[in-house]
Amino acid sequence: MNMGISTSSSDPGNGESLRSPLLSPAKQPPAEQEKLLVDDMLHKYCGEFGPWQLRHFVLTSLAWALEAFHTMVMIFADREPEYSCLGQGCDPGEKTVCGLEPGSWAWTGGDGSSTVSQWGLFCEEKYKVGLVQALFFFGCMIGAGVFGHLSDSRLGRKGSLTVVCMMNAVFGCLTAFSPNYSTYVLLRMLTGFSTGGVGLCAFVLATEPVGPSKRGAAGMSTFYFFSTGIALLSGIAYIFQTWRALYIASSIPSILFLLIILPFLPESPRWYLVRGNLNEAMKIMRAIAKSNGRHLPDGVVLMLDDEQENDASNDKQNFKEELATKEAVTGSVIDVIKSPLTRIRLFLAVTINFLCSVVYYGISLNVVNLQTNLYLNVLVNAVAEMPAFTITAVLLDKLGRKPMTIGTLWFSGFFCLLGSLVKNNGIWKIVRMICGVMGIFGVAGTYNLLFIYTTELFPTVVRNAALGCATQAAQLGAILAPFVVVLGGWLPFAVFAACGIIGGLFAFYLPETLNKPLYDTMAGMKEGEGVV
């Protein structure tokens, strides 16, 4: 018996068997996962537009005011100042100084009041003012494409916004110290390059964490910040009457935005997801849920829309392993052009944005021709756009993107056509002015909703690249608009009317995106749209 016990104790395997239960316990099944798209997770668990989205949206959209500062500052810095007569050979009734004898007049406020008085950009040299404006928008066009790509790829939405705001602050301040016209032109073009990326990066970063049912209204609201920026700029320009001081004053807000606001803004969870960083995407989604007073269960995980068809085969994969092995999905404008579905959408979006921009910037420049107080003109122009944003935002989710695009373009086109038919004398001056106000009222709504519409037409992997192309087209329209205004008489209104009406016709060929999901990948969009 002792030998038996000794034998048993000397066999480690036998000892283990004595302590082991007769039946092995059943293996615990892995915790069940629930894979959801970003929109579905926002709707079901996190909240579509709660305190988190509101704070994020407001702080991010402040960048639009910065864009307004750097874009519209040229109205005041490059203005032709008033003059005063010093002696004989000067007629105070003359509208310009071109026919006055040299030395018989002087600029009110001195040579430093604007770039026109600083470098003699009037009469035969007046074209140089238009050249500066055109090259600024040319820089915007290039910058929109560059930063549209970078924000979809390496830099991300927040990284790109940080870079462009930093460049704006630096170039804006340097512009104030321009020793000559050539340097001024170069610095304004560089400022345009960075400004071109501000709006699109801020728009996408602000709206991507918003749920589908609230995204339209939120996107429309971004332009309030742009109009508010223009209104504030008119006050800043009234305080800082010299162009050098004005450039510094309008650049300081970009520095404050970089130091005070940007460090506290998170990156877009959608960008993290398509870049394969599921851990960071889930951290942001949990932060959204917590801030909104909602609960996001541990077993819920994000997925891309092209993963839905493979969802069943992926259910067995361990949750932590999936977080670690997620692969990045990338895309570019080339992918947009290769696909017939997105190629036609890109063509239409680019064309409509171009036509809309010609009307918007053209009518905006025509308002300056009212020959009244410049600061008041800019303020009224900015305030006039706000009702358009409100009405468009209210109707956008009721009527849809497509009908609103067509309707606002044709509304603007109709009043521009009417403005081209009336004379510019007597009471008809007031009629033409009203036509211009109504025209910009309509096109401001179009300009606003086109950002939302273009955003929803393309998947996440190429969204900013496509939006960058549309923005580039809009900047090209902005470059051409001043040359249309120079035509004078009834022709500018006729051109604006044609652009509005033709733009509405092109919009007929766009698909409706109301209440449709924001697709993440090209494959997901093709599957969702039923394209083989």
Side-chain angles (χ1 to χ4, degrees):
M1 183 174 180
N2 288 338
M3 291 179 60
I5 295 174
S6 176
T7 304
S8 297
S9 61
S10 65
D11 186 359
N14 190 38
E16 286 293 328
S17 64
L18 290 174
R19 290 189 292 270
S20 301
L22 295 176
L23 295 176
S24 300
K27 292 184 178 180
Q28 294 294 326
E32 185 177 351
Q33 295 180 35
E34 183 181 6
K35 293 186 176 182
L36 295 174
L37 303 177
V38 175
D39 281 347
D40 295 332
M41 187 176 289
L42 289 169
H43 175 74
K44 188 173 182 180
Y45 293 110
C46 301
E48 295 195 45
F49 196 81
W52 191 97
Q53 284 101 333
L54 178 61
R55 181 177 62 253
H56 177 78
F57 175 82
V58 171
L59 293 178
T60 306
S61 297
L62 289 175
W64 278 95
L66 305 180
E67 180 178 358
F69 288 168
H70 291 286
T71 302
M72 299 302 181
V73 68
M74 68 178 70
I75 296 176
F76 304 101
D78 300 338
R79 75 188 190 281
E80 184 170 320
E82 295 181 357
Y83 71 93
S84 57
C85 290
L86 300 178
Q88 293 182 348
C90 176
D91 182 4
E94 290 288 337
K95 293 183 179 180
T96 67
V97 298
C98 295
L100 304 181
E101 293 183 11
S104 64
W105 59 273
W107 296 114
T108 303
D111 291 344
S113 57
S114 79
T115 58
V116 171
S117 55
Q118 184 85 67
W119 295 310
L121 309 180
F122 55 93
C123 298
E124 293 83 2
E125 301 291 314
K126 191 174 182 178
Y127 75 93
K128 291 184 178 180
V129 176
L131 181 61
V132 173
Q133 184 176 4
L135 289 176
F136 172 84
F137 286 116
F138 175 76
C140 289
M141 183 177 67
I142 302 301
V146 171
F147 289 105
H149 173 71
L150 289 176
S151 63
D152 277 336
S153 53
R154 294 182 178 274
L155 289 182
R157 280 70 163 125
K158 180 183 176 180
S160 296
L161 185 59
T162 302
V163 171
V164 294
C165 287
M166 191 179 303
M167 293 173 66
N168 266 349
V170 173
F171 293 140
C173 289
L174 288 177
T175 302
F177 300 98
S178 300
N180 50 52
Y181 174 76
S182 300
T183 306
Y184 177 70
V185 171
L186 175 62
L187 288 171
R188 283 301 288 164
M189 186 167 62
L190 291 174
T191 305
F193 176 75
S194 55
T195 301
V198 173
L200 68 93
C201 293
F203 182 86
V204 175
L205 181 60
T207 57
E208 281 193 337
V210 178
S213 67
K214 308 295 182 183
R215 191 178 301 121
M220 293 294 292
S221 301
T222 58
F223 287 84
Y224 285 109
F225 294 86
F226 186 81
S227 297
T228 301
I230 299 175
L232 290 174
L233 179 64
S234 64
I236 295 173
Y238 184 79
I239 296 172
F240 297 93
Q241 295 278 330
T242 63
W243 71 272
R244 294 185 188 274
L246 179 58
Y247 269 111
I248 293 177
S250 60
S251 300
I252 288 176
S254 293
I255 300 174
L256 297 177
F257 185 80
L258 278 168
L259 299 177
I260 299 174
I261 296 176
L262 264 176
F264 302 99
L265 293 179
E267 180 57 89
S268 168
R270 294 181 186 272
W271 181 79
Y272 276 134
L273 182 62
V274 298
R275 296 296 295 176
N277 197 339
L278 188 56
N279 271 315
E280 293 298 326
M282 288 303 301
K283 284 181 182 178
I284 296 175
M285 299 303 288
R286 293 189 186 99
I288 295 174
K290 183 178 179 180
S291 180
N292 291 347
R294 307 285 287 269
H295 174 65
L296 182 60
D298 292 335
V300 180
V301 61
L302 286 170
M303 70 172 177
L304 296 170
D305 43 26
D306 65 349
E307 296 178 60
Q308 287 179 291
E309 58 186 26
N310 301 322
D311 191 27
S313 63
N314 289 339
D315 281 344
K316 297 180 181 180
Q317 186 176 7
N318 182 268
F319 179 71
K320 292 184 179 179
E321 182 183 344
E322 181 172 343
L323 292 178
T325 60
K326 196 75 175 177
E327 293 183 359
V329 182
T330 59
S332 66
V333 178
I334 303 300
D335 299 304
V336 178
I337 297 174
K338 284 182 179 179
S339 170
L341 175 65
T342 52
R343 181 169 60 240
I344 185 64
R345 293 185 178 188
L346 183 64
F347 169 76
L348 292 171
V350 164
T351 303
I352 296 171
N353 272 274
F354 168 77
L355 295 172
C356 177
S357 182
V358 171
V359 180
Y360 177 80
Y361 285 103
I363 298 178
S364 297
L365 293 175
N366 253 2
V367 174
V368 182
N369 295 328
L370 294 176
Q371 300 297 325
T372 56
N373 184 282
L374 179 62
Y375 306 100
L376 184 61
N377 275 349
V378 175
L379 177 63
V380 171
N381 187 34
V383 173
E385 296 177 8
M386 294 185 183
F389 301 155
T390 304
I391 294 173
T392 310
V394 171
L395 298 179
L396 187 64
D397 289 331
K398 295 182 179 180
L399 301 181
R401 279 63 164 151
K402 182 175 179 177
M404 287 299 298
T405 303
I406 298 170
T408 52
L409 280 170
W410 282 2
F411 181 92
S412 180
F414 169 77
F415 280 100
C416 287
L417 180 61
L418 188 62
S420 69
L421 298 177
V422 299
K423 298 179 180 179
N424 194 28
N425 53 36
I427 190 66
W428 296 111
K429 285 185 178 181
I430 299 176
V431 175
R432 177 171 282 191
M433 182 188 71
I434 294 174
C435 289
V437 172
M438 297 303 292
I440 202 167
F441 172 84
V443 79
T446 312
Y447 211 83
N448 192 353
L449 69 88
L450 277 179
F451 261 80
I452 300 167
Y453 207 174
T454 306
T455 298
E456 295 177 343
L457 286 171
F458 301 94
T460 303
V461 290
V462 294
R463 182 170 298 124
N464 255 26
L467 189 58
C469 290
T471 306
Q472 282 182 296
Q475 300 301 343
L476 182 59
I479 293 172
L480 295 180
F483 299 103
V484 177
V485 174
V486 169
L487 296 174
W490 59 272
L491 277 174
F493 272 111
V495 173
F496 303 151
C499 289
I501 294 171
I502 294 173
L505 290 174
F506 274 111
F508 267 104
Y509 295 95
L510 285 172
E512 180 56 71
T513 60
L514 178 63
N515 294 327
K516 288 190 176 182
L518 273 182
Y519 296 104
D520 292 318
T521 62
M522 298 290 287
M525 169 171 277
K526 291 178 181 179
E527 182 182 356
E529 298 290 333
V531 177
V532 180

